[in-house]
Amino acid sequence: MSVRVIIETASKAEAELIADELPGKVRAESWRGFGVIRLGAKSKQETNELMEAVARSFHEHSLKWARVRYDDEERVFKSNGHRGA
């Protein structure tokens, strides 16, 4: 079962930070000023691993926001406005 995964961020630069942490060759693109990563997952387990990688990267790089859409699901990561110095 193949799952289409779309990751959106505030900018292409932020999408590139996430893309660097994902397995395989993943390319960040710019679409209407937002950063977008499109990829496929082969299983529920692989989808979960992608979600964990996005969460790690989001927190590690203190990104503004990121949205991950797959199947009929969506998960949004948002900054609370408190960035570390």
Side-chain angles (χ1 to χ4, degrees):
M1 170 182 105
S2 181
V3 178
R4 183 95 167 125
V5 179
I6 299 173
I7 303 166
E8 300 168 312
T9 64
S11 69
K12 183 178 179 184
E14 289 190 3
E16 287 172 342
L17 292 171
I18 292 174
D20 288 345
E21 310 252 342
L22 299 176
K25 278 193 148 186
V26 181
R27 193 175 86 206
E29 302 173 17
S30 181
W31 187 74
R32 294 187 180 189
F34 296 105
V36 178
I37 302 167
R38 293 180 177 95
L39 64 150
K42 296 177 183 158
S43 66
K44 177 76 170 160
Q45 176 66 28
E46 191 173 337
T47 303
N48 291 339
E49 290 170 4
L50 289 170
M51 292 292 286
E52 290 171 11
V54 171
R56 273 192 312 273
S57 185
F58 176 81
H59 293 294
E60 179 181 321
H61 297 293
S62 299
L63 304 180
K64 296 175 188 175
W65 64 269
R67 176 174 44 211
V68 181
R69 292 185 288 154
Y70 58 98
D71 284 340
D72 292 334
E73 303 289 325
E74 177 177 275
R75 178 153 179 212
V76 178
F77 300 89
K78 289 178 126 180
S79 168
N80 64 6
H82 301 289
R83 292 187 177 217

